[in-house]
């Protein structure tokens, strides 16, 4: 089994088309077909079902793909580690992040890190809470920033970077807009703008409201944080939102109001693999963000 065969196999499996895979690999279609045939001959099984010009994985092909993707991640990590050991200060960091950390937390951490290590490069991957967990477990990335931190995950290690409040974002003409604080129950009759099911902030809001004896009336759902803020700004509902997402500025025609009963908070932190070592440059960044947010919390307190 050759590394080239594995690369060709993964590309064909991903595209389900030999010609398209060959174009992406910049090789002849016949070369791809031959290597796939040789691989199947060596393994003694059919990895693909041929359907005209397209192909799809057999059941055993899907199993083989899962293992080969993990193997290629290990090989890529090994190659990158060899490069970085010559100079960890010039490596590349693949990092995942949640949407709520995109506008302030992640850019701020990277900005100050690159003041110390200006030659380090970053590849950024935004994902949902479950996607970030899955990527770290599978080895597609080794560091992810998210909130709240997952509990009881055996394949990842979690580090809390800071804890923040969940606040209410209201239209500025709302009857509660002039309040210095409010109780969550006071929003029971409001129309909510929220992330859809599958997003962790949806679950946080739902849980908080249900604990106070009501289910929020959802008027709009959206996967984009700025769109949610915009709908509130347009007076189409209220939302509960991590305070850090409002650090730079409030959307026009909105106000943020702290919630005192209950006090809604979330932990924000980093997850890394429990069973794999970080690459040298990743270790630099991981230690940096732990120290950076510890100093920031001390300063704020």
């Amino acid at each position: 089994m050759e590394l080239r065969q594995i690369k060709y196999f993964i590309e064909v499996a991903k595209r389900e088309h030999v010609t398209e895979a060959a174009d992406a690999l910049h090789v002849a279609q016949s070369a791809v077909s031959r290597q796939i045939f040789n691989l199947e001959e060596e393994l003694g099984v059919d990895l693909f079902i041929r359907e005209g010009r397209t192909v799809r994985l057999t059941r055993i092909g899907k199993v083989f793909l899962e293992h080969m993707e993990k193997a290629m991640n290990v090989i890529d990590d090994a190659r990158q580690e060899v490069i970085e050991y010559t100079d960890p200060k010039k490596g590349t960091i693949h990092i995942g992040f949640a949407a709520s950390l995109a506008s302030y937390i992640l850019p701020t951490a990277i900005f100050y890190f690159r003041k110390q290590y200006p030659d380090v490069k970053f590849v950024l991957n935004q994902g949902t809470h479950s996607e970030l967990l899955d990527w770290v477990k599978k080895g597609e990335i080794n560091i992810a920033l998210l909130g709240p931190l997952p509990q009881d995950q055996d394949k990842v290690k979690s580090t809390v970077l800071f804890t923040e409040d969940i606040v209410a974002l209201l239209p500025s003409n709302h009857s509660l807009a002039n309040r210095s604080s409010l109780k969550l129950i006071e929003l029971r009759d409001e129309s909510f703008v929220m992330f859809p099911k599958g997003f962790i902030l949806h679950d946080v809001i739902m849980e908080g409201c249900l604990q106070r004896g009501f289910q929020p009336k959802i008027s709009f759902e959206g996967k984009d944080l700025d769109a949610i803020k915009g709908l509130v700004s347009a007076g189409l509902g209220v939302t509960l939102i991590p305070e850090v997402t409002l650090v730079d500025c409030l959307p026009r025609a909105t106000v943020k109001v702290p919630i005192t009963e209950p006090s809604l908070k979330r932990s924000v932190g980093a997850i890394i693999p429990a069973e794999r070592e970080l690459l040298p440059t990743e270790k630099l960044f991981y230690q940096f963000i732990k120290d950076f947010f510890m100093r920031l919390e001390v300063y704020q307190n």
Side-chain angles (χ1 to χ4, degrees):
M1 190 183 306
E2 300 177 4
L3 183 61
R4 177 176 55 178
Q5 291 175 333
I6 303 307
K7 289 182 177 179
Y8 288 8
F9 164 72
I10 291 175
E11 195 66 34
V12 172
K14 181 172 64 176
R15 297 179 183 276
E16 297 187 333
H17 201 288
V18 177
T19 302
E20 292 180 4
D23 291 341
L25 293 163
H26 305 293
V27 297
Q29 176 182 333
S30 58
V32 174
S33 298
R34 183 171 61 254
Q35 293 300 330
I36 296 297
F37 174 79
N38 291 342
L39 180 60
E40 290 178 319
E41 281 284 297
E42 180 179 346
L43 294 172
V45 297
D46 289 329
L47 297 172
F48 292 100
I49 299 171
R50 275 74 176 178
E51 299 176 331
R53 295 183 178 181
T54 62
V55 297
R56 58 186 176 87
L57 287 168
T58 61
R59 184 183 62 81
I60 193 63
K62 293 177 181 178
V63 173
F64 187 67
L65 174 64
E66 182 178 350
H67 287 288
M68 289 303 99
E69 286 182 325
K70 291 179 181 178
M72 290 302 296
N73 285 331
V74 171
I75 291 171
D76 289 341
D77 281 354
R79 182 186 295 113
Q80 187 66 27
E81 188 164 356
V82 170
I83 295 171
E84 291 182 18
Y85 266 119
T86 62
D87 190 351
K89 298 178 182 179
K90 294 185 178 180
T92 299
I93 299 172
H94 294 255
I95 186 168
F97 63 95
S100 60
L101 305 178
S103 62
Y104 181 75
I105 293 299
L106 182 61
T108 300
I110 291 177
F111 173 79
Y112 285 103
F113 179 78
R114 293 192 81 245
K115 290 184 74 171
Q116 295 184 37
Y117 307 105
D119 295 322
V120 170
K121 299 178 180 64
F122 284 83
V123 177
L124 306 178
N125 303 272
Q126 181 173 319
T128 65
H129 199 270
S130 59
E131 285 174 337
L132 295 172
L133 268 173
D134 192 49
W135 294 343
V136 171
K137 288 179 179 180
K138 288 184 176 179
E140 296 179 20
I141 57 175
N142 284 333
I143 302 177
L145 302 182
L146 72 171
L149 285 175
Q151 303 295 321
D152 301 323
Q153 295 288 330
D154 56 354
K155 292 187 178 181
V156 300
K157 293 192 296 186
S158 302
T159 298
V160 176
L161 298 177
F162 62 92
T163 300
E164 67 165 338
D165 293 326
I166 305 292
V167 300
L169 186 69
L170 312 176
S172 56
N173 61 355
H174 194 279
S175 60
L176 299 173
N178 294 325
R179 295 275 294 275
S180 59
S181 65
L182 57 84
K183 298 178 181 179
L184 185 55
I185 191 65
E186 294 179 89
L187 299 177
R188 63 184 176 276
D189 296 323
E190 301 294 332
S191 294
F192 277 74
V193 183
M194 293 173 52
F195 283 97
K197 289 182 179 179
F199 284 74
I200 195 67
L201 283 177
H202 174 97
D203 298 340
V204 169
I205 295 173
M206 290 295 293
E207 183 179 350
C209 294
L210 290 174
Q211 286 179 355
R212 281 299 177 268
F214 73 97
Q215 183 163 332
K217 301 173 183 177
I218 302 174
S219 55
F220 293 94
E221 290 184 338
K223 298 180 180 180
D224 182 79
L225 189 61
D226 288 334
I228 289 175
K229 294 178 185 177
L231 290 169
V232 175
S233 176
L236 298 177
V238 304
T239 194
L240 303 180
I241 195 168
E243 191 169 22
V244 73
T245 64
L246 303 171
V247 167
D248 288 335
C249 64
L250 283 172
R252 65 174 185 81
T254 66
V255 296
K256 70 172 182 179
V257 182
I259 298 172
T260 57
E261 188 180 320
S263 177
L264 295 180
K265 296 181 179 294
R266 72 163 183 171
S267 58
V268 176
I271 58 172
I272 61 173
E275 301 170 352
R276 298 190 310 275
E277 285 287 323
L278 296 179
L279 297 173
T281 308
E282 293 171 339
K283 288 180 180 178
L284 280 179
F285 183 70
Y286 184 56
Q287 187 60 51
F288 171 84
I289 57 176
K290 289 193 292 183
D291 295 341
F292 177 75
F293 286 103
M294 183 181 296
R295 291 195 302 269
L296 190 62
E297 186 172 1
V298 170
Y299 174 77
Q300 290 176 336
N301 291 336

